[in-house]
Amino acid sequence: GAGVSQTPSNKVTEKGKYVELRCDPISGHTALYWYRQSLGQGPEFLIYFQGTGAADDSGLPNDRFFAVRPEGSVSTLKIQRTERGDSAVYLCASSLIGAETQYFGPGTRLLVL
Amino acid sequence: GQNIDQPTEMTATEGAIVQINCTYQTSGFNGLFWYQQHAGEAPTFLSYNVLDGLEEKGRFSSFLSRSKGYSYLLLKELQMKDSASYLCAVRDDKIIFGKGTRLHILP
C-alpha cells in the first residue's frame, strides 16, 4: 500500500517568500506529525494533529509557521516570510491513534536563499 | 527540561556487535523508540520499549531501564547496510528525538 507522501520533494525559495509544504498520510491514519530536521540533528517536533485539530502545536517556532488539516487527511505546513534559518528537511509522519509506530514520509528539502 | 543524549558517532566492523546507548531526562515518559535513518532518507521504525527489559527482534535488540533513564540498541552480525544514523526518541506528551548516532561499518 501507499506510504506517507510529501510534496514537493525539494523547494528553493527566496528570503521573505511564502511556502506551502504538503503531506499525504497513510489512509486511515488519524494522527499526523510535522518535524523539522537540520543537518546532523534529530527531527525536531513542530505540531501534532489528531483528526482535524492540532492536539499539540508547541513545537512551532514562531507565528510565521502554521499548519492545517481541514478534512483530517492531507495536511499543509505554511511558512510565511521565510528566513534563511528555515532551511531544513521538513518531515511528516502518520500513525494510527493508539498505535506507537510512526511512518515517516520522504521529507521536503527547503532551501531559503 | 527535556534532554536526550547519545554518542555522536561510532565505528564497528562487519560481522561484529555494537551497542548504542541513550540516556534521557524528560518530564514524563510513555515509551522509548529507536529509529534508523540512512543518509538522505526518512527515519524508519526499529523498536519501541515501554516496560523495563530487553526486546529482541532479529539482529536488533533494545533495552530499557526506566529507573536509570537509560536505553540501548544492540546490533548483532553487523552488515554494511547497517551504516546509518540511529535515533533515540522518548514519548512524553509528544515525541522528542535525540540528535542521533552515526554508525560507520568497516569491512
Side-chain angles (χ1 to χ4, degrees):
Chain A
V4 179
S5 62
Q6 293 185 246
T7 55
S9 54
N10 293 280
K11 177 69 176 178
V12 181
T13 191
E14 294 179 342
K15 180 175 180 293
K17 299 289 187 182
Y18 168 82
V19 296
E20 289 190 353
L21 312 179
R22 176 186 167 110
C23 172
D24 279 89
I26 293 172
S27 178
H29 280 194
T30 52
L32 185 146
Y33 308 80
W34 283 100
Y35 295 88
R36 177 170 68 175
Q37 188 173 26
S38 301
L39 194 63
Q41 304 293 315
E44 172 194 3
F45 170 82
L46 296 177
I47 187 169
Y48 158 52
F49 286 92
Q50 276 195 24
T52 60
D56 185 344
D57 64 358
S58 61
L60 295 177
N62 51 59
D63 61 6
R64 295 187 298 107
F65 288 74
F66 189 70
V68 295
R69 195 185 184 201
E71 297 179 357
S73 178
V74 170
S75 177
T76 304
L77 178 65
K78 308 180 180 190
I79 310 174
Q80 298 176 323
R81 304 184 303 280
T82 51
E83 299 177 357
R84 292 193 180 86
D86 299 335
S87 297
V89 176
Y90 288 81
L91 294 166
C92 175
S94 72
S95 70
L96 288 168
I97 286 290
E100 304 307 338
T101 304
Q102 289 187 350
Y103 297 88
F104 281 84
T108 293
R109 285 157 184 78
L110 175 66
L111 177 62
V112 182
L113 300 176
Chain B
Q2 317 279 48
N3 193 44
I4 299 175
D5 286 315
Q6 48 181 133
T8 304
E9 287 192 85
M10 299 182 70
T11 301
T13 305
E14 191 176 15
I17 299 173
V18 70
Q19 178 174 312
I20 303 174
N21 296 324
C22 170
T23 57
Y24 62 91
Q25 299 92 37
T26 55
S27 54
F29 181 84
N30 290 303
L32 186 143
F33 298 85
W34 285 95
Y35 283 85
Q36 179 190 60
Q37 187 175 27
H38 285 99
E41 298 182 11
T44 56
F45 172 83
L46 290 178
S47 67
Y48 174 66
N49 294 69
V50 64
L51 299 176
D52 290 351
L54 186 68
E55 297 273 348
E56 297 186 73
K57 193 183 294 185
R59 294 190 299 115
F60 293 5
S61 303
S62 57
F63 172 83
L64 174 67
S65 169
R66 289 171 296 171
S67 62
K68 295 181 179 178
Y70 167 69
S71 173
Y72 67 73
L73 181 69
L74 190 71
L75 293 77
K76 303 176 184 176
E77 301 167 17
L78 286 169
Q79 302 175 10
M80 298 303 293
K81 68 179 182 180
D82 297 330
S83 292
S85 287
Y86 291 85
L87 302 166
C88 174
V90 172
R91 179 192 291 278
D92 183 355
D93 52 351
K94 52 183 173 282
I95 297 177
I96 305 160
F97 281 83
K99 294 183 178 181
T101 298
R102 191 175 306 170
L103 177 63
H104 305 278
I105 309 297
L106 302 176

mmCIF file of all heavy atoms in Angstrom, chain A residues 50-100:
data_model
loop_
_atom_site.group_PDB
_atom_site.id
_atom_site.type_symbol
_atom_site.label_atom_id
_atom_site.label_comp_id
_atom_site.label_asym_id
_atom_site.label_seq_id
_atom_site.Cartn_x
_atom_site.Cartn_y
_atom_site.Cartn_z
ATOM 1 N N GLN A 50 -4.589 15.322 15.693
ATOM 2 C CA GLN A 50 -5.476 14.168 15.830
ATOM 3 C C GLN A 50 -6.733 14.536 15.059
ATOM 4 O O GLN A 50 -7.468 15.435 15.479
ATOM 5 C CB GLN A 50 -5.815 13.895 17.292
ATOM 6 C CG GLN A 50 -4.796 13.084 18.039
ATOM 7 C CD GLN A 50 -5.350 12.547 19.354
ATOM 8 O OE1 GLN A 50 -6.543 12.389 19.507
ATOM 9 N NE2 GLN A 50 -4.471 12.292 20.305
ATOM 10 N N GLY A 51 -6.966 13.828 13.963
ATOM 11 C CA GLY A 51 -8.077 14.224 13.121
ATOM 12 C C GLY A 51 -7.817 15.599 12.523
ATOM 13 O O GLY A 51 -6.746 15.864 12.005
ATOM 14 N N THR A 52 -8.789 16.482 12.617
ATOM 15 C CA THR A 52 -8.664 17.799 12.009
ATOM 16 C C THR A 52 -8.012 18.827 12.930
ATOM 17 O O THR A 52 -7.561 19.876 12.467
ATOM 18 C CB THR A 52 -10.045 18.341 11.602
ATOM 19 O OG1 THR A 52 -10.851 18.431 12.785
ATOM 20 C CG2 THR A 52 -10.732 17.418 10.600
ATOM 21 N N GLY A 53 -7.970 18.536 14.207
ATOM 22 C CA GLY A 53 -7.493 19.524 15.169
ATOM 23 C C GLY A 53 -6.047 19.342 15.564
ATOM 24 O O GLY A 53 -5.543 18.220 15.646
ATOM 25 N N ALA A 54 -5.376 20.463 15.834
ATOM 26 C CA ALA A 54 -3.998 20.417 16.311
ATOM 27 C C ALA A 54 -4.009 20.083 17.794
ATOM 28 O O ALA A 54 -4.407 20.916 18.617
ATOM 29 C CB ALA A 54 -3.306 21.746 16.049
ATOM 30 N N ALA A 55 -3.576 18.872 18.137
ATOM 31 C CA ALA A 55 -3.568 18.448 19.531
ATOM 32 C C ALA A 55 -2.414 19.077 20.296
ATOM 33 O O ALA A 55 -2.495 19.263 21.516
ATOM 34 C CB ALA A 55 -3.492 16.929 19.618
ATOM 35 N N ASP A 56 -1.346 19.402 19.599
ATOM 36 C CA ASP A 56 -0.169 19.980 20.237
ATOM 37 C C ASP A 56 0.611 20.751 19.191
ATOM 38 O O ASP A 56 1.126 20.148 18.254
ATOM 39 C CB ASP A 56 0.696 18.874 20.843
ATOM 40 C CG ASP A 56 1.887 19.396 21.642
ATOM 41 O OD1 ASP A 56 2.255 20.577 21.501
ATOM 42 O OD2 ASP A 56 2.467 18.612 22.418
ATOM 43 N N ASP A 57 0.654 22.063 19.317
ATOM 44 C CA ASP A 57 1.424 22.879 18.363
ATOM 45 C C ASP A 57 2.572 23.590 19.058
ATOM 46 O O ASP A 57 3.068 24.611 18.568
ATOM 47 C CB ASP A 57 0.521 23.873 17.633
ATOM 48 C CG ASP A 57 -0.094 24.900 18.561
ATOM 49 O OD1 ASP A 57 0.150 24.819 19.791
ATOM 50 O OD2 ASP A 57 -0.814 25.785 18.074
ATOM 51 N N SER A 58 2.998 23.045 20.184
ATOM 52 C CA SER A 58 4.008 23.723 21.000
ATOM 53 C C SER A 58 5.380 23.786 20.341
ATOM 54 O O SER A 58 6.228 24.559 20.773
ATOM 55 C CB SER A 58 4.128 23.016 22.353
ATOM 56 O OG SER A 58 4.542 21.679 22.181
ATOM 57 N N GLY A 59 5.599 22.991 19.302
ATOM 58 C CA GLY A 59 6.895 23.000 18.646
ATOM 59 C C GLY A 59 7.041 24.022 17.527
ATOM 60 O O GLY A 59 8.146 24.225 17.026
ATOM 61 N N LEU A 60 5.961 24.656 17.139
ATOM 62 C CA LEU A 60 6.067 25.672 16.084
ATOM 63 C C LEU A 60 6.940 26.813 16.595
ATOM 64 O O LEU A 60 6.665 27.388 17.651
ATOM 65 C CB LEU A 60 4.690 26.193 15.692
ATOM 66 C CG LEU A 60 3.752 25.181 15.043
ATOM 67 C CD1 LEU A 60 2.398 25.797 14.781
ATOM 68 C CD2 LEU A 60 4.351 24.625 13.764
ATOM 69 N N PRO A 61 7.997 27.163 15.856
ATOM 70 C CA PRO A 61 8.983 28.103 16.406
ATOM 71 C C PRO A 61 8.476 29.529 16.588
ATOM 72 O O PRO A 61 8.943 30.235 17.486
ATOM 73 C CB PRO A 61 10.131 28.049 15.398
ATOM 74 C CG PRO A 61 9.566 27.463 14.163
ATOM 75 C CD PRO A 61 8.418 26.617 14.559
ATOM 76 N N ASN A 62 7.557 29.962 15.761
ATOM 77 C CA ASN A 62 7.022 31.332 15.882
ATOM 78 C C ASN A 62 5.766 31.433 15.023
ATOM 79 O O ASN A 62 5.353 30.437 14.402
ATOM 80 C CB ASN A 62 8.071 32.358 15.433
ATOM 81 C CG ASN A 62 8.652 32.037 14.076
ATOM 82 O OD1 ASN A 62 7.918 31.961 13.086
ATOM 83 N ND2 ASN A 62 9.970 31.823 14.022
ATOM 84 N N ASP A 63 5.158 32.609 15.006
ATOM 85 C CA ASP A 63 3.869 32.735 14.315
ATOM 86 C C ASP A 63 4.003 32.801 12.798
ATOM 87 O O ASP A 63 2.999 32.951 12.098
ATOM 88 C CB ASP A 63 3.097 33.950 14.843
ATOM 89 C CG ASP A 63 3.837 35.256 14.620
ATOM 90 O OD1 ASP A 63 4.904 35.257 13.961
ATOM 91 O OD2 ASP A 63 3.355 36.284 15.122
ATOM 92 N N ARG A 64 5.203 32.651 12.276
ATOM 93 C CA ARG A 64 5.330 32.552 10.807
ATOM 94 C C ARG A 64 4.951 31.155 10.325
ATOM 95 O O ARG A 64 4.714 30.955 9.134
ATOM 96 C CB ARG A 64 6.764 32.872 10.377
ATOM 97 C CG ARG A 64 7.207 34.302 10.653
ATOM 98 C CD ARG A 64 8.574 34.583 10.039
ATOM 99 N NE ARG A 64 9.637 33.728 10.597
ATOM 100 C CZ ARG A 64 10.205 32.716 9.960
ATOM 101 N NH1 ARG A 64 9.816 32.378 8.733
ATOM 102 N NH2 ARG A 64 11.172 32.020 10.549
ATOM 103 N N PHE A 65 4.926 30.210 11.254
ATOM 104 C CA PHE A 65 4.630 28.818 10.925
ATOM 105 C C PHE A 65 3.188 28.499 11.291
ATOM 106 O O PHE A 65 2.735 28.818 12.403
ATOM 107 C CB PHE A 65 5.563 27.872 11.691
ATOM 108 C CG PHE A 65 6.975 27.867 11.205
ATOM 109 C CD1 PHE A 65 7.826 28.926 11.480
ATOM 110 C CD2 PHE A 65 7.471 26.787 10.480
ATOM 111 C CE1 PHE A 65 9.148 28.933 11.031
ATOM 112 C CE2 PHE A 65 8.786 26.781 10.038
ATOM 113 C CZ PHE A 65 9.615 27.849 10.313
ATOM 114 N N PHE A 66 2.495 27.830 10.384
ATOM 115 C CA PHE A 66 1.108 27.453 10.628
ATOM 116 C C PHE A 66 0.837 26.168 9.872
ATOM 117 O O PHE A 66 1.404 25.941 8.798
ATOM 118 C CB PHE A 66 0.177 28.571 10.147
ATOM 119 C CG PHE A 66 -1.250 28.378 10.535
ATOM 120 C CD1 PHE A 66 -1.646 28.493 11.857
ATOM 121 C CD2 PHE A 66 -2.208 28.077 9.584
ATOM 122 C CE1 PHE A 66 -2.958 28.309 12.230
ATOM 123 C CE2 PHE A 66 -3.532 27.898 9.942
ATOM 124 C CZ PHE A 66 -3.904 28.015 11.267
ATOM 125 N N ALA A 67 -0.005 25.307 10.418
ATOM 126 C CA ALA A 67 -0.338 24.060 9.728
ATOM 127 C C ALA A 67 -1.829 23.809 9.842
ATOM 128 O O ALA A 67 -2.451 24.187 10.838
ATOM 129 C CB ALA A 67 0.444 22.892 10.308
ATOM 130 N N VAL A 68 -2.379 23.191 8.809
ATOM 131 C CA VAL A 68 -3.799 22.860 8.787
ATOM 132 C C VAL A 68 -3.989 21.436 8.317
ATOM 133 O O VAL A 68 -3.146 20.866 7.628
ATOM 134 C CB VAL A 68 -4.588 23.823 7.857
ATOM 135 C CG1 VAL A 68 -4.536 25.242 8.416
ATOM 136 C CG2 VAL A 68 -4.062 23.772 6.433
ATOM 137 N N ARG A 69 -5.152 20.914 8.674
ATOM 138 C CA ARG A 69 -5.553 19.565 8.231
ATOM 139 C C ARG A 69 -7.076 19.564 8.170
ATOM 140 O O ARG A 69 -7.728 18.918 8.989
ATOM 141 C CB ARG A 69 -5.020 18.520 9.208
ATOM 142 C CG ARG A 69 -5.049 17.105 8.668
ATOM 143 C CD ARG A 69 -4.615 16.110 9.720
ATOM 144 N NE ARG A 69 -4.549 14.766 9.170
ATOM 145 C CZ ARG A 69 -4.600 13.662 9.914
ATOM 146 N NH1 ARG A 69 -4.703 13.750 11.230
ATOM 147 N NH2 ARG A 69 -4.519 12.474 9.342
ATOM 148 N N PRO A 70 -7.648 20.273 7.237
ATOM 149 C CA PRO A 70 -9.078 20.601 7.253
ATOM 150 C C PRO A 70 -10.030 19.405 7.183
ATOM 151 O O PRO A 70 -11.129 19.474 7.724
ATOM 152 C CB PRO A 70 -9.257 21.514 6.034
ATOM 153 C CG PRO A 70 -8.080 21.234 5.169
ATOM 154 C CD PRO A 70 -6.963 20.863 6.086
ATOM 155 N N GLU A 71 -9.622 18.330 6.527
ATOM 156 C CA GLU A 71 -10.516 17.184 6.384
ATOM 157 C C GLU A 71 -9.984 15.956 7.121
ATOM 158 O O GLU A 71 -10.488 14.848 6.896
ATOM 159 C CB GLU A 71 -10.746 16.892 4.900
ATOM 160 C CG GLU A 71 -11.437 18.060 4.180
ATOM 161 C CD GLU A 71 -11.638 17.783 2.700
ATOM 162 O OE1 GLU A 71 -11.197 16.710 2.223
ATOM 163 O OE2 GLU A 71 -12.220 18.649 2.024
ATOM 164 N N GLY A 72 -8.981 16.150 7.945
ATOM 165 C CA GLY A 72 -8.465 15.043 8.735
ATOM 166 C C GLY A 72 -7.590 14.078 7.969
ATOM 167 O O GLY A 72 -7.293 12.989 8.471
ATOM 168 N N SER A 73 -7.174 14.484 6.771
ATOM 169 C CA SER A 73 -6.289 13.614 5.997
ATOM 170 C C SER A 73 -5.042 14.407 5.601
ATOM 171 O O SER A 73 -4.106 14.500 6.387
ATOM 172 C CB SER A 73 -7.006 13.069 4.768
ATOM 173 O OG SER A 73 -6.135 12.271 3.994
ATOM 174 N N VAL A 74 -5.075 15.028 4.428
ATOM 175 C CA VAL A 74 -3.933 15.819 3.953
ATOM 176 C C VAL A 74 -3.678 16.998 4.892
ATOM 177 O O VAL A 74 -4.609 17.622 5.412
ATOM 178 C CB VAL A 74 -4.210 16.324 2.530
ATOM 179 C CG1 VAL A 74 -3.164 17.333 2.094
ATOM 180 C CG2 VAL A 74 -4.282 15.155 1.558
ATOM 181 N N SER A 75 -2.403 17.278 5.091
ATOM 182 C CA SER A 75 -2.027 18.435 5.907
ATOM 183 C C SER A 75 -1.087 19.332 5.116
ATOM 184 O O SER A 75 -0.311 18.862 4.269
ATOM 185 C CB SER A 75 -1.329 17.980 7.185
ATOM 186 O OG SER A 75 -0.893 19.092 7.956
ATOM 187 N N THR A 76 -1.175 20.623 5.388
ATOM 188 C CA THR A 76 -0.291 21.592 4.766
ATOM 189 C C THR A 76 0.414 22.397 5.843
ATOM 190 O O THR A 76 -0.235 22.924 6.754
ATOM 191 C CB THR A 76 -1.079 22.560 3.848
ATOM 192 O OG1 THR A 76 -1.810 21.806 2.885
ATOM 193 C CG2 THR A 76 -0.126 23.502 3.120
ATOM 194 N N LEU A 77 1.724 22.457 5.740
ATOM 195 C CA LEU A 77 2.530 23.307 6.624
ATOM 196 C C LEU A 77 2.834 24.586 5.855
ATOM 197 O O LEU A 77 3.335 24.533 4.734
ATOM 198 C CB LEU A 77 3.826 22.605 7.017
ATOM 199 C CG LEU A 77 4.802 23.384 7.903
ATOM 200 C CD1 LEU A 77 4.188 23.641 9.282
ATOM 201 C CD2 LEU A 77 6.118 22.636 8.053
ATOM 202 N N LYS A 78 2.524 25.715 6.450
ATOM 203 C CA LYS A 78 2.666 27.002 5.770
ATOM 204 C C LYS A 78 3.706 27.839 6.502
ATOM 205 O O LYS A 78 3.650 27.957 7.739
ATOM 206 C CB LYS A 78 1.324 27.736 5.754
ATOM 207 C CG LYS A 78 0.187 26.886 5.205
ATOM 208 C CD LYS A 78 -1.125 27.632 5.189
ATOM 209 C CE LYS A 78 -2.226 26.727 4.640
ATOM 210 N NZ LYS A 78 -3.473 27.480 4.376
ATOM 211 N N ILE A 79 4.624 28.403 5.752
ATOM 212 C CA ILE A 79 5.666 29.248 6.340
ATOM 213 C C ILE A 79 5.627 30.603 5.653
ATOM 214 O O ILE A 79 5.807 30.698 4.430
ATOM 215 C CB ILE A 79 7.068 28.627 6.202
ATOM 216 C CG1 ILE A 79 7.082 27.175 6.669
ATOM 217 C CG2 ILE A 79 8.085 29.444 7.011
ATOM 218 C CD1 ILE A 79 8.400 26.446 6.431
ATOM 219 N N GLN A 80 5.383 31.640 6.435
ATOM 220 C CA GLN A 80 5.330 32.996 5.897
ATOM 221 C C GLN A 80 6.684 33.681 6.085
ATOM 222 O O GLN A 80 7.434 33.368 6.999
ATOM 223 C CB GLN A 80 4.261 33.802 6.640
ATOM 224 C CG GLN A 80 2.853 33.253 6.490
ATOM 225 C CD GLN A 80 1.851 34.043 7.319
ATOM 226 O OE1 GLN A 80 2.154 34.485 8.417
ATOM 227 N NE2 GLN A 80 0.664 34.243 6.768
ATOM 228 N N ARG A 81 6.970 34.620 5.209
ATOM 229 C CA ARG A 81 8.166 35.477 5.328
ATOM 230 C C ARG A 81 9.393 34.616 5.673
ATOM 231 O O ARG A 81 10.049 34.802 6.694
ATOM 232 C CB ARG A 81 7.943 36.540 6.395
ATOM 233 C CG ARG A 81 6.710 37.390 6.171
ATOM 234 C CD ARG A 81 6.570 38.494 7.210
ATOM 235 N NE ARG A 81 6.537 38.002 8.563
ATOM 236 C CZ ARG A 81 5.475 37.484 9.174
ATOM 237 N NH1 ARG A 81 4.329 37.373 8.504
ATOM 238 N NH2 ARG A 81 5.537 37.073 10.427
ATOM 239 N N THR A 82 9.662 33.654 4.811
ATOM 240 C CA THR A 82 10.731 32.690 5.090
ATOM 241 C C THR A 82 12.056 33.377 5.377
ATOM 242 O O THR A 82 12.381 34.442 4.813
ATOM 243 C CB THR A 82 10.917 31.709 3.925
ATOM 244 O OG1 THR A 82 11.055 32.460 2.706
ATOM 245 C CG2 THR A 82 9.749 30.756 3.804
ATOM 246 N N GLU A 83 12.828 32.737 6.246
ATOM 247 C CA GLU A 83 14.164 33.209 6.610
ATOM 248 C C GLU A 83 15.173 32.108 6.280
ATOM 249 O O GLU A 83 14.810 30.934 6.172
ATOM 250 C CB GLU A 83 14.209 33.535 8.097
ATOM 251 C CG GLU A 83 13.247 34.634 8.505
ATOM 252 C CD GLU A 83 13.259 34.901 9.999
ATOM 253 O OE1 GLU A 83 13.978 34.183 10.736
ATOM 254 O OE2 GLU A 83 12.546 35.834 10.431
ATOM 255 N N ARG A 84 16.443 32.499 6.133
ATOM 256 C CA ARG A 84 17.464 31.510 5.771
ATOM 257 C C ARG A 84 17.538 30.398 6.816
ATOM 258 O O ARG A 84 17.800 29.235 6.494
ATOM 259 C CB ARG A 84 18.814 32.196 5.586
ATOM 260 C CG ARG A 84 18.830 33.106 4.371
ATOM 261 C CD ARG A 84 20.216 33.557 3.976
ATOM 262 N NE ARG A 84 20.155 34.432 2.809
ATOM 263 C CZ ARG A 84 19.957 35.740 2.859
ATOM 264 N NH1 ARG A 84 19.834 36.365 4.029
ATOM 265 N NH2 ARG A 84 19.891 36.457 1.742
ATOM 266 N N GLY A 85 17.265 30.733 8.065
ATOM 267 C CA GLY A 85 17.291 29.734 9.129
ATOM 268 C C GLY A 85 16.183 28.703 9.050
ATOM 269 O O GLY A 85 16.215 27.709 9.783
ATOM 270 N N ASP A 86 15.206 28.928 8.169
ATOM 271 C CA ASP A 86 14.136 27.944 7.979
ATOM 272 C C ASP A 86 14.595 26.794 7.086
ATOM 273 O O ASP A 86 13.873 25.794 6.959
ATOM 274 C CB ASP A 86 12.903 28.604 7.347
ATOM 275 C CG ASP A 86 12.318 29.710 8.211
ATOM 276 O OD1 ASP A 86 12.516 29.676 9.444
ATOM 277 O OD2 ASP A 86 11.665 30.613 7.641
ATOM 278 N N SER A 87 15.738 26.925 6.466
ATOM 279 C CA SER A 87 16.247 25.869 5.588
ATOM 280 C C SER A 87 16.478 24.594 6.389
ATOM 281 O O SER A 87 17.193 24.596 7.391
ATOM 282 C CB SER A 87 17.566 26.306 4.938
ATOM 283 O OG SER A 87 17.368 27.437 4.116
ATOM 284 N N ALA A 88 15.862 23.522 5.954
ATOM 285 C CA ALA A 88 15.915 22.235 6.664
ATOM 286 C C ALA A 88 15.124 21.220 5.850
ATOM 287 O O ALA A 88 14.539 21.550 4.819
ATOM 288 C CB ALA A 88 15.311 22.354 8.064
ATOM 289 N N VAL A 89 15.114 19.981 6.338
ATOM 290 C CA VAL A 89 14.211 18.967 5.789
ATOM 291 C C VAL A 89 12.978 18.932 6.688
ATOM 292 O O VAL A 89 13.094 18.798 7.905
ATOM 293 C CB VAL A 89 14.873 17.582 5.747
ATOM 294 C CG1 VAL A 89 13.875 16.530 5.271
ATOM 295 C CG2 VAL A 89 16.100 17.606 4.835
ATOM 296 N N TYR A 90 11.809 19.066 6.089
ATOM 297 C CA TYR A 90 10.557 19.025 6.833
ATOM 298 C C TYR A 90 9.946 17.640 6.626
ATOM 299 O O TYR A 90 9.622 17.240 5.510
ATOM 300 C CB TYR A 90 9.628 20.143 6.378
ATOM 301 C CG TYR A 90 10.134 21.483 6.852
ATOM 302 C CD1 TYR A 90 11.148 22.140 6.161
ATOM 303 C CD2 TYR A 90 9.656 22.057 8.030
ATOM 304 C CE1 TYR A 90 11.665 23.351 6.614
ATOM 305 C CE2 TYR A 90 10.156 23.268 8.495
ATOM 306 C CZ TYR A 90 11.165 23.911 7.785
ATOM 307 O OH TYR A 90 11.677 25.099 8.247
ATOM 308 N N LEU A 91 9.828 16.905 7.728
ATOM 309 C CA LEU A 91 9.338 15.532 7.711
ATOM 310 C C LEU A 91 7.912 15.473 8.236
ATOM 311 O O LEU A 91 7.563 16.153 9.197
ATOM 312 C CB LEU A 91 10.219 14.642 8.586
ATOM 313 C CG LEU A 91 11.652 14.414 8.132
ATOM 314 C CD1 LEU A 91 12.480 13.806 9.260
ATOM 315 C CD2 LEU A 91 11.698 13.500 6.919
ATOM 316 N N CYS A 92 7.133 14.631 7.612
ATOM 317 C CA CYS A 92 5.769 14.364 8.066
ATOM 318 C C CYS A 92 5.699 12.887 8.435
ATOM 319 O O CYS A 92 6.351 12.043 7.785
ATOM 320 C CB CYS A 92 4.802 14.686 6.940
ATOM 321 S SG CYS A 92 3.082 14.273 7.279
ATOM 322 N N ALA A 93 4.949 12.564 9.459
ATOM 323 C CA ALA A 93 4.753 11.173 9.857
ATOM 324 C C ALA A 93 3.292 10.979 10.226
ATOM 325 O O ALA A 93 2.606 11.918 10.637
ATOM 326 C CB ALA A 93 5.654 10.812 11.034
ATOM 327 N N SER A 94 2.809 9.750 10.083
ATOM 328 C CA SER A 94 1.446 9.456 10.491
ATOM 329 C C SER A 94 1.409 8.143 11.256
ATOM 330 O O SER A 94 2.315 7.309 11.143
ATOM 331 C CB SER A 94 0.501 9.404 9.286
ATOM 332 O OG SER A 94 0.713 8.257 8.488
ATOM 333 N N SER A 95 0.363 7.988 12.053
ATOM 334 C CA SER A 95 0.173 6.742 12.795
ATOM 335 C C SER A 95 -1.312 6.547 13.087
ATOM 336 O O SER A 95 -2.097 7.491 13.048
ATOM 337 C CB SER A 95 0.966 6.753 14.104
ATOM 338 O OG SER A 95 0.415 7.676 15.025
ATOM 339 N N LEU A 96 -1.657 5.309 13.379
ATOM 340 C CA LEU A 96 -3.000 5.023 13.861
ATOM 341 C C LEU A 96 -3.111 5.556 15.284
ATOM 342 O O LEU A 96 -2.141 5.472 16.051
ATOM 343 C CB LEU A 96 -3.253 3.520 13.851
ATOM 344 C CG LEU A 96 -3.438 2.851 12.495
ATOM 345 C CD1 LEU A 96 -3.374 1.342 12.629
ATOM 346 C CD2 LEU A 96 -4.746 3.275 11.855
ATOM 347 N N ILE A 97 -4.227 6.077 15.657
ATOM 348 C CA ILE A 97 -4.430 6.510 17.041
ATOM 349 C C ILE A 97 -4.263 5.301 17.942
ATOM 350 O O ILE A 97 -4.807 4.235 17.686
ATOM 351 C CB ILE A 97 -5.830 7.122 17.211
ATOM 352 C CG1 ILE A 97 -5.841 8.502 16.577
ATOM 353 C CG2 ILE A 97 -6.211 7.215 18.684
ATOM 354 C CD1 ILE A 97 -5.030 9.529 17.305
ATOM 355 N N GLY A 98 -3.455 5.504 18.982
ATOM 356 C CA GLY A 98 -3.248 4.416 19.933
ATOM 357 C C GLY A 98 -2.116 3.497 19.542
ATOM 358 O O GLY A 98 -1.662 2.707 20.357
ATOM 359 N N ALA A 99 -1.655 3.597 18.300
ATOM 360 C CA ALA A 99 -0.514 2.782 17.876
ATOM 361 C C ALA A 99 0.764 3.562 18.117
ATOM 362 O O ALA A 99 0.762 4.779 18.147
ATOM 363 C CB ALA A 99 -0.639 2.417 16.405
ATOM 364 N N GLU A 100 1.838 2.874 18.272
ATOM 365 C CA GLU A 100 3.070 3.546 18.640
ATOM 366 C C GLU A 100 3.975 3.822 17.459
ATOM 367 O O GLU A 100 4.852 4.656 17.520
ATOM 368 C CB GLU A 100 3.827 2.706 19.673
ATOM 369 C CG GLU A 100 3.016 2.377 20.907
ATOM 370 C CD GLU A 100 2.421 3.604 21.566
ATOM 371 O OE1 GLU A 100 2.935 4.727 21.351
ATOM 372 O OE2 GLU A 100 1.435 3.451 22.305
#
